[in-house]
Amino acid sequence: MTTQIQPPVAVTPPLPTRRNAELALLGFAALITVAALLIVEANQERGLRWDLTAYGLIFLLVFGSAHLAIRRFAPYTDPLLLPIVALLNGLGLVMIHRLDLVNNELSGRHHPSASQQMLWTVVGVAAFALVVTFLKDHRQLGRYSYIYGIAGLIFLAIPALLPASLSEQNGAKIWIRFPAFSIQPAEFSKILLLIFFSAVLVAKRGLFTSAGQHLMGMTLPRPRDLAPLLAAWVISVGVMVFEKDLGTSLLLYASFLVVVYLATQRFSWVVMGLVLFAAGSVVAYFIFEHVRVRVAMWWDPFSDPDGHGYQIIQSLFSFATGGIFGTGLGNGQPDTVPAASTDFIIAAFGEELGLVGLASILMLYTIVIVRGLRTAIATRDSFGKLLAAGLASTLAIQLFIVVGGVTQLIPLTGLTTPWMSYGGSSLLANYVLLAILVRISHSARRPLRTRAKNAAPIAASNTEVIERV
């Protein structure tokens, strides 16, 4: 009796999920955050206490829960997204705490900004985990695109309809004030409108790429196809006019143009969009005083150094004081810049970390943006491609607007730095944005076919041997 020996079967090993690498990077982010906190406490001559390490453990516990949600429900997510955002959030908390220490000494009162920001961080991470858990497939968002679009427009319109006592702060009507807290609905509108834009452009791509007139080497869209572009233009100008919010207007319109260009691959849409925005900006400049003030302070802030130009002048002084390597965490005077914990937190880091430290922070943002664009390239469905590219581009545009404003490259807009600036609405909305990007990343990186757990490999016969190179 002879025994037939079956040839060995090559079994493809499962793709690594890189979740252990993500956990190690989260630990490294917690270590850097605790080290920065210890440096601030030491330079403020408050002494080093062992209980400060508890903040690092709490930080690791909060983001560890987000890591567990990813490990369980989106295991193929890019391992760099969550740790980098955690580090940015941690550094922002340290700087807000550092500003609280100075304000406590100057006013003699306790400023709980860092504690409130930590509470909003917990809420934001909880929202992140919920989205990752219950959003099984990012394509589900496209089914309700018109509902998201209407909700986004309503969120934009609410502050303009409310009385100034409930919505206006520093001249801009962008808030909804409640007895215990306030929210900035435009932060959530940018996500809802991006979902709407992406779904509509995928469904109506043929309309946007239809033939039009040729002019100077460009194919211009037909007049009846300009309705979405005109609608976005009206929305952005309306936000700028009625709510006096230049930053949100520019962010929404620029994000729309990016998504339109990615969907159509026609530069003519971008040219038309820029022409419309320039025309609206010029009209707004001659009609509305707040626009003229912003432009004048951008052009020459020293013309009113003790008034409207004070904020940008102090920001420029902060960058000059920081120089290349900075004054060190806790050794500068970032409190001299108004709104240092919100709109001008980049100036605070520029003073205490210098050009090198600020460039490192911007590099962290760049990594998140690039990984988001890589996710868009790797995603297999058109809606996911547009949505991931739109989310990553929105982060890039917002970062450019913020850094450009505090460095006098462009007029001040009032936008906050994602995950670093003080503010619950911005933090919560950006964690929801990150969760959607994480879900798309999981869909893009997971293998097309996975074997069920505990399933035995099927033995191949002599005539069914597969040779793998």
Side-chain angles (χ1 to χ4, degrees), residues 26 57 76 83 163 181 246 300 310 353 386:
L26 280 175
L57 295 177
Y76 291 99
F181 63 95
L246 305 181
D300 184 14
Y310 179 78
L353 297 182
L386 276 186

Side-chain angles (χ1 to χ4, degrees), residues 131-466:
V131 173
V132 172
T133 301
F134 293 102
L135 182 63
K136 302 300 182 182
D137 192 339
H138 64 273
R139 290 172 292 186
Q140 296 174 353
L141 298 173
R143 301 174 185 173
Y144 310 99
S145 58
Y146 284 92
I147 296 178
Y148 293 138
I150 295 173
L153 293 177
I154 292 175
F155 282 175
L156 278 179
I158 288 177
L161 301 176
L162 292 177
S165 59
L166 297 177
S167 62
E168 187 170 347
Q169 183 176 348
N170 297 327
K173 296 189 63 174
I174 57 176
W175 298 93
I176 301 177
R177 286 202 182 98
F178 295 97
F181 63 95
S182 59
I183 63 172
Q184 190 174 348
E187 292 286 347
F188 303 95
S189 292
K190 67 181 182 183
I191 301 175
L192 296 173
L193 292 177
L194 268 178
I195 296 173
F196 171 72
F197 291 154
S198 301
V200 169
L201 287 171
V202 168
K204 308 293 184 180
R205 179 175 295 180
L207 177 68
F208 286 89
T209 57
S210 58
Q213 295 181 354
H214 297 275
L215 179 65
M216 299 177 62
M218 297 186 302
T219 303
L220 299 180
R222 296 177 300 184
R224 63 174 178 269
D225 298 337
L226 289 175
L229 188 61
L230 292 175
W233 178 71
V234 171
I235 292 170
S236 62
V237 173
V239 171
M240 182 170 56
V241 170
F242 295 105
E243 299 184 2
K244 302 179 182 180
D245 188 6
L246 305 181
T248 300
S249 175
L250 179 58
L251 178 63
L252 292 177
Y253 194 72
S255 300
F256 173 74
L257 284 185
V258 169
V259 175
V260 168
Y261 175 72
L262 292 175
T264 62
Q265 297 294 312
R266 287 193 174 183
F267 193 68
S268 57
W269 283 97
V270 179
V271 173
M272 291 288 295
L274 293 177
V275 170
L276 286 174
F277 188 80
S281 301
V282 171
V283 172
Y285 175 82
F286 287 103
I287 295 178
F288 303 104
E289 182 181 0
H290 69 277
V291 177
R292 291 196 298 272
V293 171
R294 291 288 181 92
V295 174
M297 291 305 100
W298 164 62
W299 187 256
D300 184 14
F302 291 93
S303 62
D304 188 12
D306 296 324
H308 293 100
Y310 179 78
Q311 195 173 32
I312 184 63
I313 289 174
Q314 292 301 116
S315 175
L316 296 177
F317 283 157
S318 295
F319 288 115
T321 304
I324 301 297
F325 298 104
T327 60
L329 283 172
N331 283 333
Q333 293 180 327
D335 55 289
T336 59
V337 183
S341 62
T342 53
D343 300 351
F344 282 79
I345 198 169
I346 289 293
F349 278 108
E351 179 179 357
E352 300 205 334
L353 297 182
L355 178 62
V356 173
L358 184 58
S360 301
I361 291 175
L362 297 180
M363 186 59 67
L364 292 176
Y365 279 108
T366 303
I367 294 174
V368 174
I369 294 167
V370 169
R371 303 299 276 199
L373 294 177
R374 287 189 60 184
T375 296
I377 294 174
T379 306
R380 303 176 183 93
D381 63 290
S382 299
F383 173 69
K385 285 182 180 294
L386 276 186
L387 184 56
L391 295 174
S393 300
T394 297
L395 287 176
I397 294 168
Q398 184 168 350
L399 187 63
F400 170 77
I401 294 173
V402 171
V403 178
V406 300
T407 57
Q408 205 189 352
L409 180 63
I410 60 175
L412 285 174
T413 56
L415 289 180
T416 56
T417 308
W419 299 298
M420 297 188 77
S421 295
Y422 174 75
S425 301
S426 174
L427 200 59
L428 179 59
N430 284 307
Y431 270 114
V432 173
L433 183 152
L434 178 67
I436 298 174
L437 195 58
V438 160
R439 175 52 68 183
I440 300 175
S441 175
H442 166 72
S443 176
R445 292 166 58 91
R446 68 182 176 185
L448 289 176
R449 281 185 171 182
T450 55
R451 183 193 302 164
K453 293 183 178 180
N454 302 325
I458 301 176
S461 63
N462 292 335
T463 60
E464 296 176 338
V465 177
I466 300 176

